[in-house]
Structure formats: C-alpha cells, structure tokens
Amino acid sequence: MNVSLVDTHAHLVSEAFAGDCDETIDRAKGAGVSAVVCVADGVESSESSIALAARREEVWATVGIHPHQAGSAPDDVTTALSRLCTEPRVVALGEMGLDYHYDFAPVADQERVFREQLRLAGELNLPVVIHNREADHDVIRILRDERAERFGGVLHCFWSDWKTAEAALELGFYLGVGGPVTFKRSQDLRKILERVPLDRLVVETDSPYLAPVPNRGKRNEPAYVAESARALAEVKGVAFEELAAITTANATKLFNLTLNQAGL
C-alpha cells in the first residue's frame, strides 16, 4: 500500500542542506513524503523558505522569528513579517516561542517577539509553529493571553509533560512528533502520546536536527519522517498506513495544504 506523509517541520534552507537541497527533497518524495513545511527562524530564512517553496511544489513555507533570534529581531516585527505573509505558499507563522535552555536572547526579548508574532497570526488568521524548550508554563500562559485558540497551531517537537499537552489540546493545538519518539530514553513521552487523540497529532523531522533511530547521530532529513511515523503508530497501536493517513489529513487541515500525491 502506498502511503503519503507530511513532514510538518524541516529547516531545508539551513546550511546543512546547502549542497543537496533538491536531492534531499527528491529522496523524501521517494520515501512517500508528499509535502514538507519549510520552517523559518528569522527574516532571512523566511525569504529563503518562500523562494524554495516557489520553485518546489512539494514545499510550503513559514515566516517567523525563532526565540534564539529575538535579541536581534527588528524593532517592528509585525512590519518585517507581514509583507512576507502575503506570499501564496506561506502556510503559518513561526517558528516562534520561548527557549529557557539556552540564553541566546534575553527572556524579555523572547516574550516580546513571541507576542508580536501571535498578534500578527490573529490579524492574518494563520496557524503558528511553537518552539518550547523548558518554558512550558510561560508558553501556555502567553498562548492563553493572546487567545491563540482563535487561529491554532502546533507545539513542534513536543517533549513536555501531560499538563502541557492537555493545555495545548484545550487551545485546539496539535502536537508535533519527531525523532525523540524513537529514542530509548523517551518512555515518558510515549506514555503521554498514548493519551493524545490521533486527530491532534502530526509528524515532523526538525531536519537537520534530532534524527530518529536508526539514523540517530546523522544529519536528519525529511525522508526520515517515516521512522518517526512508524514509532508513533506502534505507540498508538495502529497500522503504519493508518497513522500516515491520519497525520497527513491533520497536517493538511492545520496548514490548509493542497497535496500533489500523484505517483506516490
């Protein structure tokens, strides 16, 4: 049976793919990936993601500023990003959020840039891609403050506790599942994912980071999303083909994608 998967989070304009981006996309197609959401982390990568999506029908783009870049973000985030959001293949705002593991940007700057992007998402009715590392309480607090249930989104690379998962689900968000679901030390994550409804899950790679087993330690790429999907299917007790169909439908709904599945 042919399957169709969507990698909902990949950084294809990263330097890691500078020499073989097109070949990487072709390998993903060969692995049954019908679409890749190329996620931005700043204004420059937003522009590059849009350009890639314009020339590859399998790729869709986001526009956003990562919390690591918040300290150097434009004074007027809304103006800097809103002009890019009019491009036809932009499907979300992000990657945005909070990261308390590293101190690449002051927390106050991270929160300001996060809130400004959420407000823009509300104005444009675009879903958001959320980065959350060791900031569960504040991420949920800000999402509630900014009434993020109006436009929804995904907590990408979900690896938090059940309380955070439950709060995100109450806001109408999806949870993004990637390489960590395959790691031996992720028993707690798998137990949480057992409780999450299938219609609220999407799969991702976060390429070039967090490659799943058996490719852990290598450069991650969209073709490997199948490994995370297989592991998630096992967690949920469903066939791989069913998991692929459901998560692809979820991604299509979340990002309003039009998929070209011919030849898969």
Side-chain angles (χ1 to χ4, degrees):
M1 181 184 296
N2 289 336
V3 298
S4 170
L5 290 161
V6 176
D7 182 357
T8 59
H9 196 113
H11 298 280
L12 287 174
V13 297
S14 161
E15 280 295 318
F17 297 109
D20 66 343
C21 183
D22 285 299
E23 293 85 351
T24 297
I25 296 168
D26 292 339
R27 281 194 295 274
K29 288 177 64 178
V33 179
S34 54
V36 180
V37 179
C38 184
V39 176
D41 60 12
V43 175
E44 183 177 347
S45 69
S46 297
E47 293 170 341
S48 298
S49 297
I50 290 168
L52 178 61
R55 68 177 183 82
R56 291 295 308 232
E57 66 176 359
E58 309 87 354
V59 178
W60 302 81
T62 77
V63 168
I65 299 174
H66 192 286
H68 289 343
Q69 313 299 329
S72 58
D75 291 335
D76 188 345
V77 170
T78 299
T79 298
L81 298 183
S82 60
R83 65 180 178 83
L84 299 173
C85 292
T86 60
E87 296 293 335
R89 295 185 67 82
V90 171
V91 295
L93 274 159
E95 174 175 1
M96 65 176 77
L98 301 174
D99 193 311
Y100 293 170
H101 182 77
Y102 295 105
D103 59 355
F104 294 151
V107 170
D109 288 342
Q110 291 189 45
E111 181 165 340
R112 174 184 68 84
V113 172
F114 186 18
R115 286 186 182 274
E116 288 189 36
Q117 290 180 91
L118 289 173
R119 290 167 189 169
L120 180 59
E123 292 174 15
L124 300 177
N125 194 30
L126 280 173
V128 293
V129 178
I130 302 299
H131 174 102
N132 167 31
R133 189 161 186 188
E134 299 175 15
D136 295 349
H137 178 269
D138 286 345
V139 164
I140 296 299
R141 172 180 59 83
I142 291 169
L143 289 174
R144 287 172 172 160
D145 284 351
E146 301 298 338
R147 298 185 298 136
E149 69 277 5
R150 292 174 297 149
F151 43 84
V154 56
L155 262 63
H156 124 78
C157 193
F158 184 82
W159 205 350
S160 297
D161 57 18
W162 172 248
K163 183 178 179 181
T164 304
E166 189 174 36
L169 295 173
E170 288 173 354
L171 287 166
F173 274 62
Y174 293 79
L175 304 184
V177 181
V181 74
T182 70
F183 299 170
K184 287 184 178 179
R185 63 189 177 97
S186 296
Q187 296 94 333
D188 290 344
L189 171 62
R190 288 189 284 272
K191 288 178 182 177
I192 290 168
L193 293 174
E194 287 178 3
R195 303 172 65 181
V196 179
L198 265 173
D199 64 358
R200 304 298 288 281
L201 294 169
V202 293
V203 290
E204 63 169 68
T205 58
D206 199 18
S207 300
Y209 313 108
L210 292 172
V213 175
N215 298 299
R216 195 172 183 189
K218 300 178 182 178
R219 183 191 71 172
N220 203 0
E221 60 179 73
Y224 298 165
V225 74
E227 302 302 334
S228 298
R230 290 183 193 281
L232 182 58
E234 185 175 334
V235 168
K236 301 302 292 181
V238 300
F240 169 64
E241 293 83 0
E242 180 181 356
L243 188 285
I246 292 172
T247 57
T248 293
N250 295 345
T252 302
K253 181 179 179 181
L254 169 61
F255 293 120
N256 192 29
L257 303 177
T258 302
L259 302 185
N260 178 7
Q261 298 179 27
L264 292 179

